[in-house]
Amino acid sequence: SYCMCGTSSRQYALHGHRANCARLFSALRERIRAGGLPKLPVPPLQQTLNMYLKCTSHLITEEQLKKTKAIVEKFGAPGGMGEFLQKKLLERSEHTANWVYDYWLEDMYLSNRLALPVNSSPVMVFPKQNFRSQSDTLRFAAHLISGVLEYKSLIDGRALPVDYARGQLAGTPLCMDQYNKVFTSYRLPGPKTDTLVAQKSTVMPEPEHIIVACKNQFFVLDVVINFRRLNEKDLYTQLERIRKMSDIEEERLPPIGLLTSDDRTQWAEARSMLIKDSTNRDSIDMIERCLCLVCLDEPSGTELTDTNRALLMLHGGGTDKNGGNRWYDKPMQFVIGADGSCGVVCEHSPFEGIVLVQCTEYLLRYMRGSPSKLVRAASMSELPAPRQLHWKCSADIQTFLTSSADKLQRLVKNLDMNVSKFTGYGKEFIKKQKMSPDAYVQVALQFTFYRCHGCLVPTYESASIRRFQEGRVDNIRSSTPEALAFVKAMDVEKMELLWTAIKAQTNYTILAITGMAIDNHLLGLREIAKELKLEKPELFSDTTYATSIHFILSTSQVPTTEEMFCCYGPVVPNGYGACYNPQTDHIIFCVSSFCDSAETSSDLFVKTLEGCLKEMQDLCTKCNTEAKPADSTKRKDGTTKVMKNGSKS
């Protein structure tokens, strides 16, 4: 294993390293204060190759492991391909703010051809609202838009407080670049690769506007008129007008938003056809340049359980509900259902989940702490009417719409979701065991998968690397050999092995957040070889590599301080998406899978997970009860020996 600075465990054990490392990070913080964040480091090649073998050896057959070891040894040999590519990566690092950012963005998002809903776009589900009338719904929408404009003004004025790392290595300032893309970017579909378009600020910016989706129609709501921002009363008036305009049957146009729910290549083709007409081109331009979407949804007609509200946010309920009342290419779509089902749909390529959390928590606090100003505010005497966007649909576009609608319906029927609140205990109990709540839950997820399927599989857990310039995420590979040893162990050995698994998870987390994990590094080596037009190294055509990036278990911790939760779909057809939100006395789990996979079941996974969490609690409680003062002893050097239950004398 390695220290946070990349030092091996053997060197780490040497006297004085801990102090030296602390001084290194102290100097790093001073450098941040003096001249900005450091660049993302390029990990040592041999460190990554050794870790790659450790992360995959217990997930493949002995025969495959033998073959992979030979391939890795050849790749990492002195003077070999690995050293050459490592040198090129180091050169790239010298000349770019972040050597992996462009590679990562294309690989993770832009080259992915799957449809955005469920497969890529996470959602945040708000507490259920109790709207008694249409006026209540529009008041809520006006209040929320007012909060959005306040938040945007903080971003524009660079007045947002700097984020600092929490959890492992807490206190380090984080890169704030992602916030600048929340209301100014757009994912443009392409035939092979999408483009993340960021609007450039100008000396005289155009009037800002929001797009309101209502009954599958799109309306332009100007929020700045004659250089003055609309107050909440004016926003309410305009929303009321939009609602009335959407009721006019004769003005009802086809649900063009459905096209954005299709796979990216299909949508790119349909968009190219759409913009041949100037009316369509102008309408798309207005949507692409808007701050965000506000989707006023019709009642869904379903019981609004946590699971059903999550499903409605993820795909709108399909074409017969609100599936066409979306435009998935925009980063922020605020959904306000007449039945009280509300939340946010996020296009993920411009920013990470924590940015979504910070924005939505600000809005919920704003709405709770800032009373509605509908009565007191002075309104504009004459407001220009909102404009409905128009479309001209050829027979070809109608064909695309039919195809998109059919695929969305299949996606809706295929998604198997279970949102569960585990109330046995929360992060407070875990912290009392002197364990990291995140590491504990990750080990519980491995335990659960093993119980359900009898093996472990490559697992993805996102780890923020915002400590570095333009940092996004790397992967914590949670299916460690130590986790496998724990889940296979008999009761008598379990506590010690649980501690070992927690420690391994925590150590890998530290590697990841300090830029020393393997996934981004391997991606960089693969992509720079492609960039240099070299033959693909055997390391990346090996079956083990393909297996290692097929993430059957895709996980993410998204903690919130407000009453809401995040969820998303699986990233592979036979996989699970598992998002969790640890609170003081409970943990919210959002588990997703696909119905057409015979290998998965979200309900079974959640039921098994609850049992595993209970077993882990019983194990901790039992060991704490049996622990005696004599269990801890002093070594000759005066340090305390930690016993199996983690207690110290």
Side-chain angles (χ1 to χ4, degrees):
S1 61
Y2 293 82
C3 169
M4 64 180 110
C5 65
T7 304
S8 71
S9 55
R10 187 180 66 79
Q11 292 171 300
Y12 188 84
L14 295 175
H15 178 72
H17 174 75
R18 192 184 297 271
N20 290 337
C21 191
R23 280 198 289 272
L24 180 148
F25 269 75
S26 176
L28 200 60
R29 288 191 191 95
E30 286 302 316
R31 180 179 161 192
I32 289 166
R33 278 192 282 270
L37 296 169
K39 285 187 175 185
L40 179 71
V42 178
L45 178 63
Q46 286 304 323
Q47 174 183 314
T48 292
L49 296 179
N50 292 341
M51 185 62 72
Y52 173 63
L53 288 174
K54 181 183 177 184
C55 289
T56 56
S57 60
H58 56 296
L59 305 177
I60 56 177
T61 64
E62 286 291 331
E63 184 182 350
Q64 182 61 39
L65 177 59
K66 185 178 178 183
K67 179 186 174 188
T68 298
K69 279 182 174 177
I71 291 170
V72 167
E73 188 176 342
K74 179 183 175 185
F75 183 80
M81 177 64 78
E83 284 195 355
F84 173 75
L85 296 177
Q86 177 78 353
K87 180 186 171 188
K88 292 297 181 183
L89 267 192
L90 289 167
E91 290 172 5
R92 178 183 173 86
S93 177
E94 287 294 314
H95 300 106
T96 57
N98 185 308
W99 59 269
V100 80
Y101 178 82
D102 290 334
Y103 292 159
W104 176 90
L105 184 65
E106 182 169 334
D107 182 71
M108 180 66 84
Y109 295 114
L110 303 183
S111 65
N112 190 332
R113 301 289 82 199
L114 292 174
L116 296 185
V118 177
N119 300 301
S120 179
S121 296
V123 302
M124 193 66 72
V125 183
F126 288 177
K128 182 183 177 301
Q129 303 300 311
N130 296 308
F131 300 138
R132 291 165 297 179
S133 65
Q134 184 175 291
S135 295
D136 282 355
T137 309
L138 299 184
R139 260 189 212 97
F140 183 91
H143 204 175
L144 183 129
I145 293 170
S146 185
V148 166
L149 299 179
E150 284 289 329
Y151 194 71
K152 184 178 183 298
S153 70
L154 291 175
I155 295 174
D156 293 346
R158 299 190 178 275
L160 280 181
V162 173
D163 289 343
Y164 286 84
R166 292 178 286 185
Q168 300 297 333
L169 308 183
T172 309
L174 304 177
C175 180
M176 298 292 286
D177 284 357
Q178 293 176 38
Y179 287 93
N180 298 325
K181 299 184 178 78
V182 172
F183 299 114
T184 61
S185 58
Y186 182 82
R187 181 162 167 177
L188 184 69
K192 292 183 179 178
T193 305
D194 290 358
T195 304
L196 181 58
V197 179
Q199 296 169 16
K200 304 295 181 185
S201 60
T202 58
V203 177
M204 287 289 287
E206 292 184 42
E208 295 165 305
H209 66 277
I210 281 171
I211 295 294
V212 178
C214 188
K215 296 187 176 180
N216 300 333
Q217 311 300 297
F218 297 97
F219 302 86
V220 179
L221 170 57
D222 290 315
V223 293
V224 176
I225 298 176
N226 296 330
F227 305 101
R228 179 179 166 232
R229 202 174 89 188
L230 267 60
N231 60 39
E232 203 171 308
K233 186 175 181 182
D234 291 333
L235 291 169
Y236 176 84
T237 299
Q238 298 294 69
L239 289 169
E240 237 183 357
R241 288 176 170 179
I242 286 170
R243 189 78 214 190
K244 286 174 183 173
M245 290 165 70
S246 72
D247 287 334
I248 303 171
E249 293 279 349
E250 301 76 48
E251 297 291 323
R252 205 72 61 78
L253 297 166
I256 295 294
L258 283 174
L259 297 174
T260 70
S261 73
D262 212 327
D263 69 75
R264 303 308 290 171
T265 300
Q266 187 88 342
W267 165 219
E269 191 178 340
R271 184 184 180 279
S272 295
M273 198 165 289
L274 266 176
I275 61 175
K276 289 177 182 176
D277 182 273
S278 60
T279 299
N280 297 337
R281 192 161 56 245
D282 291 345
S283 293
I284 285 180
D285 182 60
M286 290 304 292
I287 295 174
E288 292 179 353
R289 290 190 296 106
C290 76
L291 299 178
C292 62
L293 264 80
V294 171
C295 307
L296 300 177
D297 277 8
E298 296 296 289
S300 64
T302 57
E303 184 188 355
L304 294 183
T305 62
D306 286 350
T307 297
N308 283 341
R309 283 172 24 247
L311 290 168
L312 290 170
M313 288 305 118
L314 283 163
H315 51 51
T319 53
D320 55 339
K321 291 188 171 65
N322 296 289
N325 209 42
R326 304 282 185 272
W327 197 273
Y328 282 101
D329 296 346
K330 284 303 292 185
M332 297 292 271
Q333 297 188 87
F334 296 96
V335 177
I336 302 168
D339 54 9
S341 181
C342 302
V344 190
V345 184
C346 163
E347 199 292 291
H348 211 343
S349 63
F351 49 82
E352 299 310 322
I354 185 60
V355 173
L356 175 63
V357 170
Q358 295 284 60
C359 176
T360 50
E361 288 193 339
Y362 174 91
L363 294 175
L364 290 181
R365 286 194 298 269
Y366 174 89
M367 295 174 75
R368 187 173 61 246
S370 168
S372 181
K373 300 180 179 67
L374 289 180
V375 178
R376 293 191 299 274
S379 63
M380 268 186 205
S381 54
E382 290 183 18
L383 286 171
R387 305 183 302 287
Q388 181 173 359
L389 296 180
H390 290 91
W391 309 97
K392 290 186 179 175
C393 295
S394 63
D396 288 335
I397 295 299
Q398 290 290 356
T399 302
F400 275 116
L401 276 169
T402 302
S403 172
S404 298
D406 180 58
K407 280 186 258 187
L408 180 60
Q409 286 301 94
R410 276 184 275 158
L411 189 61
V412 168
K413 289 178 181 176
N414 197 20
L415 184 59
D416 178 15
M417 171 68 69
N418 185 311
V419 178
S420 171
K421 182 187 283 189
F422 175 75
T423 56
Y425 56 93
K427 62 184 178 183
E428 185 176 357
F429 169 80
I430 302 170
K431 287 181 177 178
K432 283 181 179 176
Q433 313 310 307
K434 307 290 191 241
M435 296 176 181
S436 154
D438 181 62
Y440 184 97
V441 173
Q442 282 292 328
V443 172
L445 290 169
Q446 297 302 316
F447 190 13
T448 302
F449 194 93
Y450 186 82
R451 276 281 169 88
C452 289
H453 301 282
C455 64
L456 295 190
V457 290
T459 301
Y460 183 96
E461 183 195 1
S462 57
S464 172
I465 49 173
R466 285 175 60 207
R467 288 165 172 79
F468 305 100
Q469 292 177 38
E470 297 183 9
R472 292 293 299 267
V473 296
D474 205 335
N475 176 24
I476 304 167
R477 289 187 166 264
S478 306
S479 51
T480 61
E482 293 84 353
L484 181 61
F486 165 65
V487 302
K488 291 170 75 172
M490 301 302 290
D491 284 351
V492 68
E493 304 167 323
K494 271 186 180 174
M495 195 64 210
E496 185 173 347
L497 290 171
L498 174 58
W499 268 106
T500 304
I502 295 283
K503 183 180 177 184
Q505 177 70 19
T506 303
N507 287 346
Y508 203 104
T509 299
I510 292 171
L511 277 181
I513 64 179
T514 54
M516 289 288 152
I518 68 170
D519 282 77
N520 281 351
H521 191 195
L522 290 171
L523 172 66
L525 293 166
R526 187 189 79 194
E527 291 304 302
I528 205 157
K530 187 193 296 183
E531 206 171 84
L532 295 168
K533 295 182 169 44
L534 300 173
E535 184 181 348
K536 181 190 280 190
E538 191 180 5
L539 177 69
F540 303 114
S541 55
D542 181 29
T543 305
T544 297
Y545 182 71
T547 300
S548 75
I549 58 174
H550 184 81
F551 294 112
I552 291 175
L553 193 53
S554 177
T555 70
S556 185
Q557 176 184 228
V558 184
T560 65
T561 59
E562 295 290 326
E563 188 190 342
M564 58 182 181
F565 59 87
C566 180
C567 57
Y568 49 83
V571 298
V572 295
N574 62 332
Y576 292 100
C579 190
Y580 53 97
N581 182 350
Q583 297 295 308
T584 301
D585 60 355
H586 66 274
I587 308 170
I588 300 171
F589 289 97
C590 302
V591 176
S592 61
S593 60
F594 290 121
C595 296
D596 63 6
S597 170
E599 301 170 36
T600 58
S601 165
S602 297
D603 288 348
L604 176 63
F605 192 95
V606 168
K607 185 178 178 182
T608 308
L609 174 59
E610 289 173 349
C612 290
L613 286 165
K614 187 70 172 64
E615 284 187 47
M616 289 170 71
Q617 181 189 32
D618 291 345
L619 182 64
C620 292
T621 304
K622 178 184 174 186
C623 289
N624 287 338
T625 303
E626 292 176 354
K628 295 182 177 67
D631 285 349
S632 297
T633 57
K634 290 278 185 181
R635 298 189 182 94
K636 290 180 182 179
D637 62 3
T639 60
T640 301
K641 180 181 178 183
V642 180
M643 304 308 289
K644 290 182 182 180
N645 67 348
S647 60
K648 298 179 183 178
S649 61

